[in-house]
Amino acid sequence: MSPFRAPRGTHDVLPSEQPMWQLVTGTLAEVAELYGYRRIQTPNFEDTDVFARTSGAGSDVVQKEMYTFVDKGGRSLTLKPEGTAPIARAYIEHGMHRDPQPVKLYTVAPMYRYEAPQRGRYREHWQVSVEAFGSADPALDAEVIDLYAQFARRVGITKYVLQINSIGDANCRPAYIARLNEWLDEHADVLDEDAQQKRARSPLRVFDVKNERVRAALRDAPKMADHLCEACAAHFAEVRRLLDELRIPYEVEPTLVRGLDYYTRTVFEFINPDEKAQPQICSGGRYDGLVEQLDGRPTPGVGFGAGIERALIALDAEERRVEQPGLDVFFVTGEDAPRDRVLQLLAELRHGGLSADADYAGRSFKGQMTQAGRTGAQTVVIVRGGDATIRRNGRDEQVVALEDVVATLTR
């Protein structure tokens, strides 16, 4: 047996898994385009500063999780750990601020984070990123939330909880941080080592700890919602009103924060309640300062990242299945069959849009019939000499000359 395996924290998507994989990625792309989002692809690696500037030098992403390397030209590059900052970089580089605003973009791409692998968490994982730049309208916040909710309805994810919060902006957050630090100083005994480290990097991140005892204690800490400025409070109230109008149920979670520094105002997560370790299936929010952090002009934005693997876990829990599509036609050839002519017929059918295959492994007649069954072929064409017997599900057998096979199957 070969000693080579997929690297730890990565996985292959096998042919048998492709129907569900394509259901998730295809439906997300389809729904995004229904909402006016256009596809964009960015490189799998970027200048390291694209992430160091925007994610925050003290974030777990920058401190622990990035795959960073120096190339042969001495440049520091990083495999992208998230999709928003690269799309923001492309927005600036290609002058998209000159396009009609908002510019609505999405991508389906692998992301890379050096984390301890576990169920729903990979070092290479796939994500759909949906981003809208150029509008501060709270209706856009509601739109991106509705977009994912619509995806969930279409594919059959019904067991989720939408949590939302507002983390304010540069106008009101500093005063709140000062008040939060006072409380944390007074209750330093409730913080474990992880919470203390997160606080040292950014006080808001204490709410992102995993320890349930610490999380319970932090519920008594001052809440950002009680310290929002008038503009942020009005924005959040309008987002909630619009979600109510769209009949999207949600919970306001006052301790919800995001792990990246660029978020402002609205933050949200779709939670799979059956998953304890990695329950988030979609996370996002508003990032009105992100483009400016990358030396662009001040540009509001909002969006989300949705993990493909985590959506598949949610669908598996709901026993959602998609069968592998069978072939349209499979050729079974006898010893006296003209092989070259069979190969020509295969090509003609394929060129006409039918999926077709034949045996290339030297199987016996019985083995070929077994293989035809494995492929799920709707039609089996048995070729002996210059004739073909056509067997189609639910129809009588037909015997036709070889030159009539294509015409018979494409009527």
Side-chain angles (χ1 to χ4, degrees), residues 4-23:
F4 296 108
R5 297 288 185 273
R8 187 166 186 258
T10 69
H11 64 103
D12 302 308
V13 184
L14 301 176
S16 60
E17 300 168 321
Q18 286 294 335
M20 289 298 294
W21 187 272
Q22 296 300 326
L23 172 71

Side-chain angles (χ1 to χ4, degrees), residues 45-48 66-79:
F45 55 87
E46 297 272 352
D47 186 303
T48 298
M66 295 200 315
Y67 280 90
T68 297
F69 61 96
V70 177
D71 72 2
K72 293 180 180 180
R75 292 171 289 266
S76 179
L77 302 172
T78 296
L79 297 179

Side-chain angles (χ1 to χ4, degrees), residues 293-327:
Q293 284 180 289
L294 292 172
D295 296 334
R297 59 183 64 190
T299 305
V302 66
F304 67 74
I308 303 303
E309 291 90 348
R310 293 192 188 179
L312 289 168
I313 288 172
L315 287 168
D316 185 62
E318 302 203 37
E319 300 184 350
R320 178 78 158 89
R321 301 286 184 270
V322 177
E323 296 300 322
Q324 182 84 25
L327 284 174

Side-chain angles (χ1 to χ4, degrees), residues 104-115:
K104 300 163 78 171
L105 305 167
Y106 79 96
T107 193
V108 183
M111 307 292 163
Y112 302 88
R113 293 193 185 188
Y114 190 83
E115 299 180 287

Side-chain angles (χ1 to χ4, degrees), residues 138-152:
L140 209 51
D141 304 39
E143 178 181 277
V144 296
I145 292 172
D146 181 50
L147 192 159
Y148 192 81
Q150 176 63 20
F151 156 76

